[in-house]
Amino acid sequence: MDLPLHLLRLIFTSLLVLLPLQLFAAPLPKLTELPLGVRWYSIKLGDERVGFSRLTITRTDTGYRIDSEGSVKMRVMGFSREATSKESYLVARDLVLQSFSAENRIDGSPVTITGEVTPKGVAIVSRSGSGTKERTLKLKGALYPPHALNLYPLMQGASKGKSYKLSVLDVEAQKVKKLKVEVVGEETLTQGRPVVHLKNDVYPMVDNDIWVDLQGNVLKESVRDDLVVTEAEDEATARAELARDALCKTDLVLDFSMIRVTPPIERPAQLQKLVLEMTGLPANLPLLQGKRQQVLRQPDGTVLVTLPSPAPGAEAPPTAAEREAAERIPSDHPEIKAKAAEITGSEQDPARVAKLLSDWVAREIKGTVTDSQSPVETLKSRNGNCQSHARLYASLARAARIPTRFVSGIVYQGDGFLYHSWAESYLGGAWVPIDPTFGEMPANLSHVKFVEGETLDEMGALAGMIGKVRAKVIEKKY
């Protein structure tokens, strides 16, 4: 299973593009190494994308670490169900489970589960709103993570008709289950890619079919005759969609992407100083500095963010690109230029012009989850998400000859930090953060910038941290 079990319990998998070619009689060469790296999956109910999953396999000194993260949200018969999951398994080279951890939320209720396999059984500690509970599950023989159902047969040679019974840990149910996986045969994708067709009995009385390539990569999973499909997805596309959904604050990833912190920030608009300790930021992520923020990577890999910067230096002046029209910031469009002139009137002071434009966007553009429209479309429809607000403001500001750039990062809202986009305008020799979604100039100090720019590649950089970042408030002053 490359998707946490309880996520698929909420739904059932869509149209297959597999064409049977031939069944094999002789066993395939045994899989000797798990497929390392990151795999992305989309989950569809019919034509609707209702979830996603991200699987990461890394090598350890004694075997492998298998990390699975995902989110599902769907509506059935008028009821909304949602679940987010982050599970991690340490296994030996033969896939035998050693230890595990999970953070799951179903309909907003959080549960954290940790455990390890001991000579006495499976020791489990669970923490939820009901408190902390400890228990030990009885165990006979080897125990495997759910992902072993897709990998174990290939490690044995995957002979057609061969079936295997494995003791598998169901983390959510906190049970050891005896599950059967059967090798149906070898098939070929329409593009000529050979795969192994497997079946298992994870869901009683419901067919569960899986297609795995010869390297151990799961390509598709089908529950109940293609009602819902979990399907491998191109990484670039998946990263862009995840970043988009997080910035749109869509229900699909809202809970998954939120960075909860302790202690809470009661009055973010009144912050005078904020220091955060963060983990989970990609090692190759450029750390953006300036008068607004100082970001330092510590020897242990944690990142210390201080706002405002305790040692502000000179900031780089605007580039030509931050003054001119761009594909997604069409400041030269006649309607954008006309609206900027209408809003600012005879005002000449750049700071007052920026304030007039930001206030107008915050007041006139209604917040929605729409994200793919252009600033001209936002101007006409008068609605859009934070990206729409920021792009429209940037377009109007550049049309008014104010150097402006589109930036993204996180902002504190409610119970924690959410991914967000805003703008920075060059005023009085410094880059001033302006949030035209909330009408803040300057934006409050809970805005932590990670990315500058509006291209898909620049925005996609956020996807590497969504669902992984943790933050702790070290200091706050009002």
Side-chain angles (χ1 to χ4, degrees):
M1 297 293 297
D2 286 300
L3 184 69
L5 286 176
H6 75 273
L7 295 187
L8 274 178
R9 284 198 186 99
L10 298 180
I11 52 181
F12 282 123
T13 276
S14 118
L15 183 65
L16 298 176
V17 295
L18 299 171
L19 292 179
L21 185 67
Q22 61 181 12
L23 299 180
F24 55 85
L28 292 170
K30 292 183 179 180
L31 184 68
T32 58
E33 179 78 22
L34 298 194
L36 304 178
V38 182
R39 307 291 185 277
W40 297 76
Y41 298 88
S42 64
I43 307 166
K44 295 180 180 178
L45 177 61
D47 293 329
E48 181 184 4
R49 180 171 175 265
V50 297
F52 77 94
S53 177
R54 177 172 57 194
L55 176 72
T56 306
I57 301 178
T58 52
R59 191 184 289 109
T60 67
D61 292 340
T62 58
Y64 301 95
R65 173 173 174 150
I66 302 173
D67 293 298
S68 180
E69 309 163 275
S71 178
V72 167
K73 184 175 180 67
M74 61 178 298
R75 290 177 175 84
V76 178
M77 298 178 67
F79 292 93
S80 177
R81 299 297 310 280
E82 61 183 287
T84 62
S85 174
K86 300 171 187 177
E87 298 179 359
S88 180
Y89 301 91
L90 288 178
V91 301
R93 289 193 63 81
D94 60 359
L95 294 180
V96 173
L97 184 62
Q98 298 170 333
S99 63
F100 55 91
S101 63
E103 298 176 35
N104 297 326
R105 284 178 175 262
I106 299 179
D107 292 337
S109 299
V111 179
T112 300
I113 302 168
T114 58
E116 62 179 339
V117 179
T118 73
K120 294 183 178 179
V122 188
I124 296 178
V125 179
S126 62
R127 297 175 178 86
S128 67
S130 302
T132 300
K133 296 180 181 180
E134 298 183 10
R135 62 185 304 192
T136 299
L137 304 179
K138 293 182 179 180
L139 178 64
K140 290 183 179 180
L143 181 65
Y144 297 89
H147 307 80
L149 290 170
N150 300 334
L151 295 167
Y152 187 87
L154 276 74
M155 297 179 74
Q156 307 306 312
S159 299
K160 180 206 170 206
K162 182 74 174 178
S163 62
Y164 308 88
K165 287 189 176 181
L166 303 177
S167 294
V168 176
L169 177 67
D170 184 336
V171 173
E172 185 209 358
Q174 298 183 40
K175 291 182 179 180
V176 174
K177 295 182 176 180
K178 274 283 188 184
L179 297 177
K180 178 182 176 181
V181 56
E182 176 187 356
V183 180
V184 177
E186 186 179 17
E187 300 176 358
T188 303
L189 291 174
T190 51
Q191 59 266 42
R193 188 172 182 179
V195 294
V196 180
H197 181 181
L198 305 174
K199 280 184 177 287
N200 64 43
D201 59 354
V202 168
Y203 310 105
M205 297 182 291
V206 175
D207 288 337
N208 192 45
D209 295 83
I210 304 96
W211 287 264
V212 188
D213 71 14
L214 303 188
Q215 290 72 48
N217 297 296
V218 174
L219 302 183
K220 284 199 173 184
E221 183 164 356
S222 167
V223 181
R224 196 176 170 182
D225 298 325
D226 307 342
L227 180 59
V228 182
V229 162
T230 300
E231 188 172 24
E233 194 169 46
D234 171 73
E235 180 176 356
T237 301
R239 288 170 65 91
E241 287 184 350
L242 178 57
R244 179 203 64 193
D245 285 344
L247 288 167
C248 291
K249 302 173 183 62
T250 64
D251 289 344
L252 176 60
V253 301
L254 188 63
D255 188 66
F256 178 80
S257 63
M258 176 173 280
I259 304 169
R260 291 175 172 79
V261 294
T262 54
I265 301 174
E266 298 88 355
R267 304 186 305 278
Q270 299 174 28
L271 280 170
Q272 297 299 310
K273 181 179 182 181
L274 179 64
V275 182
L276 299 173
E277 182 181 79
M278 308 190 76
T279 59
L281 294 176
N284 60 351
L285 178 74
L287 302 179
L288 302 180
Q289 315 288 346
K291 292 183 178 180
R292 175 71 171 186
Q293 66 182 34
Q294 181 188 76
V295 188
L296 301 175
R297 196 178 297 275
Q298 308 298 306
D300 63 356
T302 61
V303 173
L304 200 65
V305 182
T306 305
L307 299 100
S309 174
E315 295 185 304
T319 64
E322 291 162 338
R323 299 175 182 272
E324 299 169 352
E327 180 180 356
R328 308 184 88 184
I329 302 180
S331 55
D332 58 352
H333 193 281
E335 293 185 44
I336 295 290
K337 294 170 69 175
K339 181 54 69 175
E342 176 189 325
I343 295 169
T344 58
S346 60
E347 182 60 65
Q348 296 297 312
D349 180 75
R352 292 195 184 99
V353 168
K355 176 67 171 170
L356 287 169
L357 296 174
S358 175
D359 286 351
W360 186 90
V361 173
R363 182 177 64 252
E364 299 295 332
I365 307 303
K366 180 182 178 182
T368 68
V369 297
T370 304
D371 70 294
S372 59
Q373 63 190 15
S374 72
V376 176
E377 291 172 318
T378 301
L379 192 60
K380 292 177 179 178
S381 67
R382 299 296 175 95
N383 60 61
N385 68 355
C386 64
Q387 296 176 78
S388 301
H389 283 75
R391 288 195 184 101
L392 177 56
Y393 166 77
S395 300
L396 294 168
R398 289 187 192 178
R401 297 186 297 281
I402 298 175
T404 299
R405 60 194 181 197
F406 180 97
V407 302
S408 300
I410 56 175
V411 64
Y412 191 87
Q413 284 185 275
D415 297 327
F417 286 89
L418 291 174
Y419 289 87
H420 188 59
S421 294
W422 60 99
E424 290 180 341
S425 290
Y426 196 72
L427 302 167
W431 287 100
V432 178
I434 298 174
D435 192 331
T437 301
F438 303 128
E440 295 179 357
M441 178 180 167
N444 73 61
L445 280 183
S446 76
H447 290 68
V448 180
K449 180 176 62 172
F450 292 135
V451 175
E452 293 176 355
E454 74 283 349
T455 69
L456 290 177
D457 287 343
E458 290 162 335
M459 301 294 287
L462 292 175
M465 64 185 77
I466 295 170
K468 296 183 177 181
V469 175
R470 299 288 183 274
K472 180 181 180 182
V473 176
I474 301 300
E475 183 180 355
K476 57 180 177 178
K477 289 184 180 179
Y478 297 101

